[in-house]
Structure formats: C-alpha cells, structure tokens
Amino acid sequence: MALSHLSSTRSNRLLRPLAAAASSLCRPISTSTEPLVIETSIPFTPHKCEPPSRSVETNPQELLTFFRDMATMRRMEIAADSLYKAKLIRGFCHLYDGQEAVCVGMEASINKKDCIITAYRDHCTFLGRGGTLLEIFSELMGRQGGCSKGKGGSMHFYKKESGFYGGHGIVGAQVPLGCGLAFAQKYNKDENVTFALYGDGAANQGQLFEALNISALWDLPIILVCENNHYGMGTAEWRAAKSPSYYKRGDYVPGLKVDGMDVLAVKQACKFAKEHVLKNGPIILEMDTYRYHGHSMSDPGSTYRTRDEISGVRQERDPIERVRKLVLGHDLATEKELKDIEKEIRKEVDEAIAKAKESPMPEPSELFTNVYVKGFGTESFGADRKELRATLP
Amino acid sequence: MTVRDALNSAIDEEMSADPKVFLMGEEVGEYQGAYKITKGLLEKYGPDRVLDTPITEAGFTGIGVGAAYHGLKPIVEFMTFNFSMQAIDHIINSAAKSNYMSAGQISVPIVFRGPNGAAAGVGAQHSQCYAPWFASCPGLKVLAPYSSEDARGLMKAAIRDPDPVVFLENELLYGESFPVSAEVLDSSFCLPIGKAKIEREGKDVTITAFSKMVGYALKAAEILSKEGISAEVINLRSIRPLDRATINNSVRKTNRLVTVEEGFPQHGIGAEICASVVEDSFEYLDAAIERIAGADVPMPYAANLERLAVPQVEDIVRAAKRTCYRSSSLAATA
C-alpha cells in the first residue's frame, strides 16, 4: 500500500494507463478524508420543523467504511440464516438485511456516549456499536463467548460500555426504556442523546405515546426512530395503522421522514436530530426501509408480499449497491477492490463462525448466576429442588 | 413514629445521601403524595429529583427502568399496586429479567413502591394484594414492612439494593404509630433483605404473616396465650427472598403452622410457605398446615361483606386452635 491515492480528476484518469502495469496492483483504495458533498436520493419530508439540507458532507474514507460495515452486516445476517437452518441457532432469529443503512448511518453521526436501544432485530445494531462477529455468532449459538454469555440469545444483545442497551423482546417496551435513558443523560447533564428504535408495528403501541408525552413535557434528549419496513410481522402498515405517516404521529413532536436505504440521508437526519433534541426536546425520525427476510426465520416473508416487490427493492434501493455506485462513480475504488473487500468480509465471517463453534456451552452452574446482583445467599432451585439447588451469591 | 413518617424519613435520608436517587409518580411532588408519604420532598430536592408524572403507568415505569439501566436509582411510586398491572411488563420483563439476560451487564437498581392490598371500602378494583404475583418472579425482590422500624429499615435497604425491589406498603398502616429506638432513627439504619423477624416467641404454634396481618397475628397470639396456647409470630418482612430457614426452624420447634395473608388464597404466599415446610420439615408437623387468607372473591363494597372477605383476628385464633386439636367450643385445658 505504498502509493497514496488522491481522488481522481479527469486529468488523472488520463495518466493512469501508463502507470497501470506497475501500480494498479498495489494502488490502495482511497483513504482520503477530503470532503465530498453528495445529495441524498430524495429530500427529507418534515413535520413541524425545518428539514436539514439534502447535501451531505462525507469523504472517501467514510464511504468506504460505510460499504465495508454494511457488507459485513449483510454477510453476517445471511450466515445467520444458514446457521439457523442448520439448527445451530434456536428459537427466534430476526434478520436485518436490507436495513443496514439505518444503523450504519446513525453510527456515523453519533458517539459511544450517545445511547441506542432497539427491539429484537438487533444483531447489526450491536455490531455497529462495537460488538464483534465472534460475540454475535457465539451468542446466537448459545455459547460462553457470546455477548450475553449464551444466556440471552438473539434478542438480548447488550453493550453498556458503548451505549447499547439492547436487545428487547417485548414490542414497544424499548421506547419508554429509551426515554428513561435520555432522562438519565439529562439528569447527569451529559450532552448526549438516546436513539430509541422501533418498527412500524410498534409505532401503534400506547406506551410509546405515554413516553413521548412525558419526554416532550420534560424536554428529554430522545430521538424516536421508526424503522418503517412496512410490515409488522405479516401485517402491512396500511392494515395496522390508520395513519402510516409515522413521522407525523408525534403530533406536537416534530418529525422527519428519511429514505432509510440511503446511508447518507440517515447520517444527515441523525446529525440533525441530535442537535435538535439537545435544544428542543424529542423528535421522531421515520426511516423508510425494507427487510429482505421475513419477520423471523419462521416466516418465509412471501405470503404477505410479492417476490417482485422484494426483488424490486433489492434492485432499485439496496443500500450497499447505492454506496457501491457512489464509490465507483467517484472513482474511490475499483470494482475489483470492492469485490476483494467483500471476499475479505466473507472470510472474516466464516472465521468468526468457526471460532464461535469452538466456544463451549455455558457451565450448568451458570443457570443460577446473575439472577440478582446481590443474592444475599438466598437459595434457588432447579426442576427437582431436592436434586438441584444453588445459593445465589 | 408513624409508618408514614418512617417511610418519608427513609426516602429523605437516602435521597440526601445519594444524588442518583430520584422519585417519580403521580402526585408525589406538588400534591405532597397521595397518602403524604413524600411530603416535603419536592421542596427539599427540587423538581429535577421529585417528578410528578401524568397518569400513564406503562410510560413512566418504562422511563424509570430505562433510567435505572443507565445507572440512576429511581423510586417509582404506584398510587396503589392495582395500577402496577398497567406497567407490569416493565417490572417483570424490563426490570426483573435484565441482569440475567445480559449476563450481568444491565443491572436495574430500582424501587417500585406503593400501597398494596385491601384498604377500607375501596371495592374490587382497588383492593388486590400483588405479593404472590411479584414474589413468584426470579430477579425481583419483594418486601412488605409492618412496623415503622420495618418501614425505615426495609425502605433504606430497598433503595440501596442494586436489584429491582417491589416494596409493598399498606394504606391502613400509614397512620399507625410504633415505638422506635435510637438505632432505628439513625440515618445508617438498615434491615437485611431476606430475613424474617420473630415478633413474638412461642412454642405451640407458628403463625406467619406480613404487613397488616402481623398486627392481627399478634392480637391473635395474645388471645391464644390466655387460653394456654403459646403462639410464635413471624413477621416475614421479605416475601422474596423468603426466609425459609426462620420459618422452618420455628415449625420444627412448634410443630404447627398457620399462614396468614390478606390476598387471594389460591397460589398465595401461604401456599408457598406450606409447600416449603412440607418439603423441608414434614416429619416435624403434628398437624395439617392451616392457611388464613382473603376470601376467594373479588372484594365487595358493603361493609359486612368486606369484613367477611378479609381475615379477622378470630379467624387466626380459630385456625391456630385447630392445629392444636382444640375447637373453640371446648374450654381450654392447661
């Protein structure tokens, strides 16, 4: 990686064939942080606020990071699909492929002292917060090396030290919890914010409106992010919501509708939202996104939507393909380089899975750990209490 | 000191000692508390730490639990525990289970408190005892004070505890006054969680009770003593963890047991105590275990029916005598 590569201009391109033989094999991908301004696919639609500009500042390094991160998430979820079918992952497994731009764009605009909380479609969100592939696959397979030591499973990933608070199985519960995180941030006078993610299904939950009311009353630094993938399990949004304009559902709370398949639009919206809530209290972001998989691994995802619809989105709006086009169009890397990145990622994912498979199942004694922080020596029991009991430390 | 003042002073002292402790609930601030338990705290600690909430239990309980996730120490008041049902998902799924599911990453140092059980004439929707429901859930601690000493010591323990605690008070006890020692009044006073108290020692029959029923059990013990039956009264204090050791040791001494609770009988606290004693002290029992509980009906309003729906002192006396193979109609023999 000896040569440093500057963003191409027309004149540079003319020069390239001469240097091609020697240098194209070792020309590194652009790691430039020279600013690049790119327009979002569509403008933002505001509700009771002034929308941010469609022109998003980025740079080659960031775009390539977006590509790598989203491609890693994509590969990870597809690998999880195979592991589930091989019965190495049990129970529920809710995959995020198609929605990668939301968590990747969000991470680009915040830091690890900002908090994120989401529901059960959390593998990629966890990865974005600094989780590792090994922790993820180990947890999915219920092993000791898992981020919750095998005791949580797919829906219960947490990384408190980098502001990721789960990982929740009850639809909608994460929204008041997220408002509570924002409450604590305000109480502590941090200048940080919380993003509470929920789906179009959860958007109708009463507790969401209860928490939003309190958050608006108390000016909490909370951003509600509706990841609208248009289906709440098998129920399309028009069958579940009288008003599917989720960004307007906050009524007195401002909102913004965002193309959730455009990672730059997501980044811009989240940056805007963070600045907004630190001054003005809550805001709702509706991310127009799409999941390729069904609701979970037990849902084929094609009984309530057409295969044409799914492949249509994949062709027209795939978040990774959009970034690939941007990178190629701005000559920040070659097709081969991007393919090499994808090959690298595949290898990383496969290695993580292999290593995760080596991680042992938890010790039987782990059945009784972490019930309490302080157990006071109280006794807990197994199925046959005369056979299996333990003292909680 | 009244139970009300005991609770108020305990919360006050803990808020003073730890700036992470804050209070939220309906009417806890400007109204001075629906039952005046939080009187004066808004003036003292300000609106950032004493928060009046709208009447939206699911929302504000979730917010409280989220704040606890982040490291604050909320005290969430339910005006009565009947309203906790609106928020029960957050108590069980968001609070109780988080430390386990996260393998210790997310602890939840929260206290849910408020009056529990029957009051007087408030009818079916405002009279249920929630001890059995909450106490069945691993990950929760469930406390039920009786006296002012209990109220102070257990409240302080609950606030300091790193796990979610359900703190079941009793409206009718708030105004009752109990003698308190200097030790109890000290700001460092604290009672251990998971330990019952033997309120009255005895040798013929063990009576377990919690909250208001402890007072009834003590009155029953007084009546029984005049008839030559020496009753040992155990104030459970902690429903979860349950002090099985103290209960079993007592039954191994007296060989007879009467459990007393105000709530519904099926799957109640008495049922668990009965099972525990049968499992661990079967050979020591000289008589079947008796359960005294609220009637197996929704709470009626009419005063006479209400009286039939909650345990009375004479019910406890009668049951204790049954365990001693004496019926009420026979004269007591020495």
Side-chain angles (χ1 to χ4, degrees):
Chain A
M1 298 294 200
L3 302 172
S4 69
H5 173 76
L6 301 168
S7 302
S8 270
T9 60
R10 272 181 209 282
S11 55
N12 278 5
R13 253 189 238 132
L14 292 172
L15 289 172
R16 256 217 266 141
L18 294 172
S23 62
S24 66
L25 289 172
C26 54
R27 176 183 66 78
I29 287 170
S30 176
T31 50
S32 160
T33 51
E34 286 282 305
L36 209 54
V37 175
I38 295 178
E39 294 261 292
T40 61
S41 61
I42 52 171
F44 299 101
T45 317
H47 168 72
K48 301 207 170 150
C49 65
E50 276 305 305
S53 156
R54 277 180 77 177
S55 304
V56 186
E57 210 180 272
T58 179
N59 61 60
Q61 184 183 71
E62 182 173 69
L63 284 174
L64 283 155
T65 307
F66 285 165
F67 181 83
R68 178 181 279 276
D69 289 347
M70 291 197 287
T72 304
M73 290 172 181
R74 179 68 56 92
R75 188 66 229 146
M76 170 182 82
E77 295 292 73
I78 291 172
D81 175 304
S82 306
L83 287 174
Y84 192 91
K85 289 177 174 141
K87 298 198 195 294
L88 285 161
I89 299 176
R90 305 175 321 117
F92 293 128
C93 189
H94 306 88
L95 300 176
Y96 197 74
D97 51 312
Q99 298 183 215
E100 299 88 350
V102 177
C103 65
V104 170
M106 188 177 291
E107 287 296 340
S109 62
I110 63 175
N111 62 52
K112 295 294 192 284
K113 294 197 77 202
D114 295 314
C115 300
I116 297 181
I117 192 168
T118 187
Y120 41 78
R121 206 175 296 280
D122 61 343
H123 309 161
C124 300
T125 325
F126 174 77
L127 191 69
R129 288 264 89 183
T132 66
L133 290 168
L134 179 59
E135 281 182 297
I136 291 171
F137 288 118
S138 303
E139 186 60 35
L140 290 173
M141 294 194 280
R143 308 298 174 95
Q144 282 184 25
C147 49
S148 300
K149 307 208 180 119
K151 289 166 74 167
S154 166
M155 299 183 286
H156 304 297
F157 290 6
Y158 306 88
K159 206 176 240 315
K160 190 169 174 178
E161 74 263 20
S162 43
F164 184 57
Y165 285 85
H168 294 271
I170 306 296
V171 170
Q174 74 276 20
V175 176
L177 294 172
C179 296
L181 295 172
F183 177 89
Q185 289 171 317
K186 185 169 182 183
Y187 190 99
N188 291 330
K189 301 188 165 51
D190 304 342
E191 285 290 296
N192 290 104
V193 303
T194 297
F195 288 79
L197 282 69
Y198 59 99
D200 45 291
N204 302 311
Q205 278 258 320
Q207 61 183 317
L208 189 153
F209 295 96
E210 292 186 15
L212 192 60
N213 175 49
I214 294 177
S215 303
L217 270 174
W218 295 354
D219 277 310
L220 301 184
I222 180 77
I223 298 137
L224 266 62
V225 181
C226 179
E227 293 188 276
N228 182 6
N229 59 24
H230 308 284
Y231 297 91
M233 202 155 140
T235 303
E237 61 186 321
W238 57 270
R239 287 212 298 140
K242 187 71 178 172
S243 163
S245 300
Y246 301 104
Y247 69 109
K248 285 193 197 164
R249 295 279 292 275
D251 181 19
Y252 44 82
V253 167
L256 201 66
K257 187 164 168 168
V258 183
D259 178 359
M261 305 300 258
D262 177 353
V263 66
L264 291 169
V266 174
K267 173 187 159 180
Q268 185 87 319
C270 292
K271 180 164 173 286
F272 167 78
K274 179 171 172 176
E275 284 163 18
H276 183 277
V277 303
L278 283 171
K279 286 191 300 246
N280 309 338
I283 195 170
I284 297 182
L285 298 179
E286 180 186 336
M287 303 287 178
D288 184 352
T289 183
Y290 200 84
R291 54 165 162 81
Y292 295 137
H293 269 87
H295 165 71
S296 71
M297 285 304 298
S298 48
D299 170 22
S302 50
T303 56
Y304 48 85
R305 43 184 203 173
T306 63
R307 291 189 198 279
D308 283 344
E309 180 188 288
I310 304 170
S311 54
V313 174
R314 215 187 263 280
Q315 256 175 309
E316 313 279 310
R317 298 178 66 206
D318 185 276
I320 301 174
E321 292 315 304
R322 162 169 279 124
V323 173
R324 192 196 303 272
K325 282 198 196 94
L326 278 173
V327 165
L328 295 175
H330 283 82
D331 210 28
L332 309 177
T334 64
E335 262 196 65
K336 181 179 182 302
E337 281 161 336
L338 294 181
K339 285 252 175 330
D340 286 342
I341 291 177
E342 288 175 292
K343 271 199 211 125
E344 228 182 278
I345 287 170
R346 223 192 155 102
K347 190 158 166 278
E348 262 177 57
V349 168
D350 288 342
E351 279 169 7
I353 293 175
K355 196 134 184 271
K357 283 179 179 168
E358 287 168 18
S359 181
M361 301 285 274
E363 293 297 316
S365 58
E366 289 292 324
L367 181 66
F368 295 109
T369 56
N370 309 124
V371 176
Y372 297 115
V373 174
K374 259 203 200 155
F376 301 114
T378 197
E379 265 200 312
S380 184
F381 309 98
D384 178 351
R385 54 177 55 204
K386 302 249 157 121
E387 178 66 22
L388 182 63
R389 48 211 300 167
T391 307
L392 302 182
Chain B
M1 178 179 240
T2 61
V3 170
R4 175 178 288 113
D5 289 342
L7 292 168
N8 183 282
S9 61
I11 296 171
D12 190 347
E13 286 160 24
E14 294 306 304
M15 285 183 77
S16 173
D18 186 348
K20 297 212 281 283
V21 179
F22 72 95
L23 192 48
M24 63 195 276
E26 296 153 12
E27 312 298 355
V28 296
E30 290 186 22
Y31 196 88
Q32 306 298 320
Y35 301 98
K36 305 292 178 272
I37 305 301
T38 54
K39 184 162 188 233
L41 296 178
L42 174 64
E43 283 70 41
K44 194 162 175 190
Y45 296 103
D48 285 348
R49 293 184 70 193
V50 178
L51 298 124
D52 283 322
T53 63
I55 311 174
T56 55
E57 277 78 5
F60 71 68
T61 306
I63 288 178
V65 176
Y69 281 3
H70 202 278
L72 295 185
K73 297 175 119 194
I75 303 172
V76 175
E77 176 177 301
F78 294 115
M79 200 180 280
T80 76
F81 264 91
N82 301 284
F83 316 137
S84 73
M85 292 197 285
Q86 306 226 297
I88 204 162
D89 177 62
H90 282 298
I91 301 172
I92 307 297
N93 281 321
S94 305
K97 298 177 183 172
S98 284
N99 199 59
Y100 192 84
M101 290 192 297
S102 69
Q105 263 195 80
I106 311 281
S107 66
V108 192
I110 194 168
V111 176
F112 303 105
R113 55 157 292 270
N116 175 61
V122 291
Q125 294 181 339
H126 289 78
S127 304
Q128 189 164 333
C129 172
Y130 292 87
W133 288 17
F134 289 122
S136 72
C137 188
L140 281 184
K141 291 171 180 164
V142 180
L143 303 177
Y146 159 62
S147 63
S148 301
E149 176 181 328
D150 289 355
R152 265 186 67 78
L154 293 177
M155 177 57 79
K156 281 162 161 298
I159 296 170
R160 295 178 198 177
D161 197 275
D163 293 306
V165 180
V166 169
F167 195 88
L168 303 172
E169 300 159 10
N170 185 291
E171 193 210 312
L172 299 175
L173 283 178
Y174 284 151
E176 262 196 56
S177 198
F178 295 83
V180 282
S181 67
E183 190 202 345
V184 171
L185 290 170
D186 189 79
S187 66
S188 63
F189 177 67
C190 200
L191 283 175
I193 291 180
K195 289 271 169 290
K197 180 182 179 205
I198 299 181
E199 293 283 349
R200 181 187 172 121
E201 279 190 31
K203 54 178 188 53
D204 294 329
V205 58
T206 300
I207 305 178
T208 63
F210 63 96
S211 188
K212 185 147 147 289
M213 291 291 116
V214 176
Y216 282 33
L218 287 169
K219 289 200 185 97
E222 206 36 58
I223 294 171
L224 288 164
S225 76
K226 295 194 174 66
E227 305 197 31
I229 297 175
S230 154
E232 179 151 287
V233 176
I234 299 181
N235 171 4
L236 294 176
R237 283 182 166 174
S238 183
I239 315 294
R240 184 176 186 105
L242 192 60
D243 191 350
R244 298 171 201 277
T246 299
I247 298 167
N248 276 282
N249 287 340
S250 175
V251 175
R252 288 177 182 211
K253 184 174 72 168
T254 65
N255 312 122
R256 294 159 218 283
L257 175 63
V258 177
T259 69
V260 184
E261 65 198 290
E262 246 191 340
F264 299 137
Q266 189 163 337
H267 311 299
I269 305 301
E272 174 63 31
I273 293 175
C274 178
S276 180
V277 168
V278 163
E279 280 160 0
D280 291 341
S281 308
F282 182 68
E283 320 79 60
Y284 293 82
L285 287 168
D286 283 346
I289 298 171
E290 297 279 350
R291 284 187 293 170
I292 294 297
D296 202 16
V297 297
M299 184 66 67
Y301 167 66
N304 63 329
L305 295 182
E306 188 184 55
R307 196 176 185 285
L308 289 173
V310 269
Q312 304 299 331
V313 175
E314 55 259 31
D315 294 313
I316 305 173
V317 170
R318 193 185 316 111
K321 282 185 175 170
R322 280 202 301 265
T323 65
C324 298
Y325 298 108
R326 300 196 212 169
S327 81
S328 305
S329 57
L330 295 172
T333 51

